[in-house]
Amino acid sequence: MNEKEAPEKAGTGSSGSPSTGRREAESSRRPSFTLGLVLKLLFLAAVNGLLLAGLPAMLEQEWWSGLVVVVIATALIDWAFLTKRSLPAKYLIPGTIFALLFQIVPILYSGYVSVTNFSISHRLTQDQVIDQLSRRTSNVQGATRYQLTILGNESGDLAFFLIDEADMPYLGTAEGLEGLTEDRIITDADGRVTAVDEFAALGIGEVSDRQAELADFAVPLEQGGIRATTINSAAAYQPLYIHEDSTGNMVDIETGTVYMPVDGRFTSSDGENLGPGWRVFVGLDNFSRVFTSEAIRGPFMRVLIWNYVFAIGSVALTFAVGLGLALALNHPGMRGQKVYRALLIIPYALPSFMTALLWAGMLNQQFGVINDILNADIPWLRDPTIAKASILLVNTWLGFPYMFLISTGALQAIPGELKEASWVDGASPWQGFRAITFPMLMVALAPLLIASFAFNFNNFNIVYLLTQGRPAIEGAATPAGHTDILISYTYRLAFESGSGADWGFASAISILIFVMVATISAISFRQTRALEEVWN
């Protein structure tokens, strides 16, 4: 090929030519709508749609911190998935956001609640309590009663057309009460009022739709106001309490009693409280109550001790049964191993809440099948000691298949040469198990046993579905039962307390649970590493 032919061939469209390369480069820059791109765009649309859907509510409630966090999180997710140079961010940013939302934030919020008096009777802020108490009214004795026609204008404002006992007409608005002349009142052929000035009479349907507004509407008077009592009658009311801005006290108008703000409640000098209360910071009071209040400390310590007995006993029993069955079925001479193994994992395959309820029915003292079979009247779930034994029995039945599975896997991973070497050295089967098999099992299973302890320490389902923590501990100031563990005790504090749900105290207990489980787990994992170092 000569030099003149070379440029001509370079300009041809043959494969490998520069023109073909340019076309391939241009086509590579064109967007390709693959299934992955479509799914990514749908995901981003859903994320941004959630932001737009929640934006009005956050603005209405003036939740600025939440709004800032949500906007930043959404912007980061959009950036991570729309840029091509941030592959690690596509995994790190969503994972970090979800970890913050579902793990860190709940822990921090629980910590915040634990240092407040947040409860069913202390849910509001102080301003909300003042507003609610200031709205409380009483009917004025001997006050004028009015015939009422409810009015409304195009702007949505409400008004009352009122006729007093002397047949004098009045117009009541949010500004006050004024007398009317006949020329301002429009009636129909039957004499019913249809309009007053720019206000028109509302129909029954319109009145029904605006019930919430009518409940808050009052025509102001010098003291109190006029409120609707029925759809066609009204009466004068006066406030029960007035708030003094200078002192912050609430004053009973009728009796003159002064209620001062004390520990989240308006309290009089003789100890009388006005409800509801409001949230205040109490520091470590919720934690100190556990150890300083005799009415709480005794039942709490009984619950705590039983919690440890239950968790340790559950792990020990399930591991012993599971390991024993795994050793038996791991023998090379055992026939039908697959069938036995399949049957043994049935309790693990069934939903635990369903089987717990079935056991509760079978252990029923009056109608349970177990007492029918034994022809006995044993209070399986009512006697404190027997109820605890019943819970351990049922939890062993539910938990041994898991231990059986992990023990079987760990046994099969132990080299057979080690066992043969122990037999050659004259070791008995028990000596070989104690000196070789069991230590090697513990290296593999110790982390799982620690996780099982943490799970059973907070095993709410089995306790609550079987006994609801009962029978109750007599004399306890809080809802504590003989079979309660800390998590069920916390739940009952939060939702079943007779004096009102005490969420602050329940959060303090949950923080203590977290600290105890974390401490025990850390110590156990340290011991596990030491065991691994010995065998390595």
Side-chain angles (χ1 to χ4, degrees):
M1 180 184 298
N2 55 37
E3 295 179 359
K4 294 181 179 180
E5 293 175 344
E8 293 178 0
K9 289 194 174 285
T12 63
S14 60
S15 176
S17 66
S19 60
T20 302
R22 284 194 297 272
R23 287 197 298 270
E24 291 177 352
E26 291 174 357
S27 63
S28 66
R29 288 195 293 268
R30 296 171 186 166
S32 56
F33 286 93
T34 62
L35 178 61
L37 178 60
V38 172
L39 293 176
K40 179 171 69 175
L41 293 176
L42 289 175
F43 169 73
L44 293 178
V47 170
N48 288 270
L50 287 174
L51 169 63
L52 294 175
L55 191 61
M58 287 186 284
L59 290 173
E60 181 180 353
Q61 298 178 10
E62 299 182 355
W63 188 34
W64 307 121
S65 59
L67 177 62
V68 170
V69 170
V70 171
V71 169
I72 292 175
T74 305
L76 287 174
I77 292 175
D78 289 341
W79 171 79
F81 282 90
L82 290 177
T83 182
K84 295 182 178 180
R85 298 183 179 180
S86 59
L87 184 61
K90 289 179 171 64
Y91 301 94
L92 292 176
I93 290 177
T96 302
I97 291 172
F98 283 115
L100 288 172
L101 286 177
F102 297 109
Q103 293 186 2
I104 306 301
V105 171
I107 292 174
L108 293 177
Y109 185 71
S110 296
Y112 159 72
V113 172
S114 69
V115 294
T116 68
N117 65 342
F118 192 28
S119 66
I120 193 69
S121 57
H122 292 83
R123 292 180 295 177
L124 307 176
T125 64
Q126 186 173 3
D127 290 338
Q128 290 173 326
V129 171
I130 292 172
D131 180 67
Q132 190 174 114
L133 292 175
S134 299
R135 289 172 175 268
R136 291 184 183 178
T137 58
S138 64
N139 184 249
V140 180
Q141 295 295 327
T144 303
R145 303 285 176 167
Y146 298 91
Q147 297 178 33
L148 170 65
T149 301
I150 301 173
L151 309 173
N153 62 12
E154 293 181 356
S155 301
D157 300 323
L158 290 172
F160 289 167
F161 173 72
L162 302 165
I163 299 177
D164 65 10
E165 295 168 352
D167 291 332
M168 294 296 296
Y170 297 90
L171 176 65
T173 64
E175 284 72 33
L177 187 68
E178 62 174 311
L180 290 174
T181 56
E182 294 294 335
D183 59 310
R184 296 172 60 185
I185 305 170
I186 301 175
T187 59
D188 60 13
D190 296 326
R192 291 190 295 263
V193 174
T194 59
V196 177
D197 296 341
E198 77 274 16
F199 295 95
L202 300 181
I204 295 177
E206 294 173 301
V207 172
S208 177
D209 293 339
R210 304 182 68 173
Q211 282 293 329
E213 295 178 66
L214 284 169
D216 293 332
F217 181 75
V219 178
L221 300 174
E222 291 184 4
Q223 191 175 56
I226 300 173
R227 293 181 178 273
T229 55
T230 67
I231 195 173
N232 53 16
S233 65
Y237 286 80
Q238 68 178 14
L240 287 173
Y241 308 100
I242 187 171
H243 181 251
E244 296 179 339
D245 295 331
S246 58
T247 62
N249 299 331
M250 295 295 297
V251 180
D252 189 316
I253 293 177
E254 184 176 349
T255 64
T257 304
V258 178
Y259 296 87
M260 297 170 290
V262 179
D263 296 334
R265 279 188 180 275
F266 284 110
T267 306
S268 66
S269 58
D270 59 359
E272 181 184 358
N273 293 319
L274 290 180
W278 62 89
R279 299 191 300 270
V280 294
F281 178 78
V282 297
L284 300 178
D285 286 356
N286 287 322
F287 295 91
S288 64
R289 285 169 60 191
V290 175
F291 307 104
T292 58
S293 173
E294 294 185 5
I296 294 175
R297 183 176 63 243
F300 175 82
M301 294 306 298
R302 295 175 70 171
V303 170
L304 178 63
I305 293 170
W306 160 240
N307 201 154
Y308 277 98
V309 171
F310 169 73
I312 296 172
S314 294
V315 174
L317 289 173
T318 54
F319 181 59
V321 175
L323 178 60
L325 291 171
L327 289 170
L329 293 179
N330 198 52
H331 194 279
M334 171 67 72
R335 296 183 179 181
Q337 290 181 347
K338 294 182 179 180
V339 176
Y340 290 131
R341 287 170 178 166
L343 293 174
L344 288 174
I345 64 172
I346 288 178
Y348 190 55
L350 297 174
S352 61
F353 72 91
M354 182 184 72
T355 49
L357 290 174
L358 288 174
W359 273 101
M362 292 190 294
L363 293 171
N364 185 277
Q365 183 176 357
Q366 295 179 329
F367 310 106
V369 66
I370 294 179
N371 274 346
D372 287 344
I373 293 174
L374 299 176
N375 194 23
D377 187 32
I378 302 173
W380 296 103
L381 304 178
R382 294 185 178 182
D383 180 80
T385 303
I386 299 177
K388 292 176 181 177
S390 299
I391 289 177
L392 283 173
L393 171 67
V394 175
N395 205 36
T396 301
W397 187 84
L398 289 171
F400 85 84
Y402 170 73
M403 295 297 181
F404 167 72
L405 289 174
I406 62 175
S407 298
T408 299
L411 283 171
Q412 294 177 351
I414 297 175
E417 294 82 359
L418 293 177
K419 298 179 182 179
E420 294 175 0
S422 66
W423 296 338
V424 171
D425 291 339
S428 65
W430 167 246
Q431 291 173 327
F433 172 77
R434 182 174 58 84
I436 297 176
T437 304
F438 187 73
M440 295 192 70
L441 278 175
M442 291 306 297
V443 172
L445 300 184
L448 298 177
L449 294 178
I450 296 169
S452 180
F453 171 83
F455 171 78
N456 282 291
F457 199 86
N458 292 307
N459 195 344
F460 174 82
N461 284 354
I462 187 67
V463 172
Y464 197 79
L465 293 177
L466 273 181
T467 64
Q468 293 82 44
R470 296 173 176 84
I473 297 176
E474 295 182 4
T478 55
H482 286 279
T483 58
D484 263 322
I485 58 176
L486 289 175
I487 190 66
S488 65
Y489 177 57
T490 303
Y491 175 84
R492 296 175 67 190
L493 277 173
F495 300 105
E496 295 184 359
S497 179
S499 59
D502 194 344
W503 299 313
F505 187 50
S507 295
I509 300 297
S510 68
I511 296 297
L512 292 176
I513 295 173
F514 173 77
V515 171
M516 284 186 284
V517 174
T519 302
I520 293 172
S521 299
I523 295 173
S524 301
F525 278 122
R526 182 176 298 178
Q527 296 298 321
T528 301
R529 283 198 299 269
L531 187 62
E532 290 176 354
E533 292 173 0
V534 171
W535 281 93
N536 289 334

